[in-house]
Amino acid sequence: MDENRVAVIGIIVSDVAAVEKVNSALHDYGEHIVGRMGLPMRSRGVNVISVVLDAPNDIVNALTGRLGGIDGASAKALFRKL
């Protein structure tokens, strides 16, 4: 089993239709999520979400890829250096 790492996924949701899919993906990986913060930027028409995880690399990458594959959302991961 991979060693867990601390990571942050930054998500920008630019289409309200993507919100349900983003929340579903986060729910599916909930056991690895330490916390999340969402900021609606109504003046810009986007929502910004940061998610902190304690998980193996493959889990973080799988969630980031799933989120990035949602139309109207983009996601990038930042890992703690080893």
Side-chain angles (χ1 to χ4, degrees), residues 13-76:
V13 182
S14 57
D15 184 351
V16 70
V19 170
E20 186 175 332
K21 290 179 183 177
V22 168
N23 283 329
S24 176
L26 294 175
H27 174 78
D28 289 347
Y29 287 83
E31 68 184 272
H32 302 285
I33 295 174
V34 176
R36 71 185 260 188
M37 177 180 63
L39 299 170
M41 297 182 67
R42 291 179 186 90
S43 64
R44 298 270 190 174
V46 299
N47 293 296
V48 179
I49 304 167
S50 59
V51 179
V52 177
L53 298 108
D54 185 2
N57 283 351
D58 60 339
I59 296 293
V60 176
N61 290 333
L63 176 55
T64 305
R66 182 170 165 188
L67 291 165
I70 298 171
D71 287 337
S74 59
K76 297 287 181 183

